[in-house]
Amino acid sequence: MDFETANPKRASVCAVGVVKVRDGVVVDALDTLVQPPPGHEAFNGRNVAVHGITAGDVVGAPAWDVVYPKIAEFAGSDAFVAHNASFDRSVLAQASEAHGIFVPRSTWLCTRDAAKSVLDLPSYRLPDVSAALSIGAHAHHDAGADARQCALVLVELCRRLGPRGLDLVRHHVRVW
């Protein structure tokens, strides 16, 4: 899962991407622009410079209260995986709170933290971890592309670590 925000406020979700992995293969994806919640819709120039999404891009996009149920159905009981899961989990929680949506506790795994325990890199940004794992470049800060890349990182970490890999990766699972 990956989010982009309109401004520094975590509730200001303006894009989300989610992919589903089965047996080490990405089998489905859901990504969409999102109309930020009321009171959080101002786009900050710094955020726009990062992801390129503007207020004009989200005109007519669904609001979070429409998107969240689709994501919940898509994910089902699967764990969420994100590269910097504490950020993505907080965006999910705060955007939902802004719409009065109850979000049940869910299982999250952080690929950035997992990579830190396995790889010795100067930077653990998603593109840097991907390169270290020989995963091709992607459109960084595109929510759908980042979600897919995160999934590929998890799959490759598990593959490289072999039978003990899943146990090492599970060390980075949290329930929020």
Side-chain angles (χ1 to χ4, degrees):
M1 171 175 268
D2 185 74
F3 287 100
E4 300 301 333
T5 57
N7 58 60
K9 294 181 181 181
R10 303 259 171 114
S12 69
V13 59
C14 64
V16 62
V18 187
V19 299
K20 189 172 291 211
V21 175
R22 294 290 181 262
D23 297 321
V25 177
V26 173
V27 296
D28 203 357
L30 183 156
D31 65 277
T32 185
L33 292 173
V34 180
Q35 187 81 53
H40 301 280
E41 63 273 296
F43 277 73
N44 175 288
R46 190 169 184 194
N47 289 58
V48 171
V50 168
H51 52 60
I53 302 167
T54 67
D57 294 328
V58 300
V59 170
W64 183 245
D65 60 343
V66 172
V67 173
Y68 174 74
K70 293 176 183 177
I71 289 172
E73 181 181 343
F74 180 83
S77 62
D78 291 348
F80 289 109
V81 178
H83 199 78
N84 189 3
S86 61
F87 170 80
D88 293 284
R89 172 61 182 117
S90 68
V91 173
L92 175 85
Q94 290 181 34
S96 296
E97 183 179 324
H99 278 283
I101 298 169
F102 169 76
V103 176
R105 291 173 59 86
S106 52
T107 303
W108 287 75
L109 184 137
C110 182
T111 55
R112 184 189 66 184
D113 291 348
K116 283 181 179 180
S117 71
V118 178
L119 303 171
D120 183 21
L121 302 174
S123 167
Y124 292 91
R125 293 175 52 248
L126 186 55
D128 298 325
V129 171
S130 299
L133 295 172
S134 301
I135 299 170
H138 73 291
H140 190 41
H141 293 298
D142 172 284
D146 279 351
R148 183 177 190 286
Q149 196 77 351
C150 178
L152 296 176
V153 163
L154 178 60
V155 168
E156 183 60 18
L157 282 172
C158 289
R159 187 191 71 74
R160 286 186 180 203
L161 294 170
R164 69 181 191 93
L166 198 50
D167 289 334
L168 283 172
V169 168
R170 280 188 181 136
H171 175 73
H172 299 286
V173 170
R174 294 184 181 87
V175 177
W176 277 304

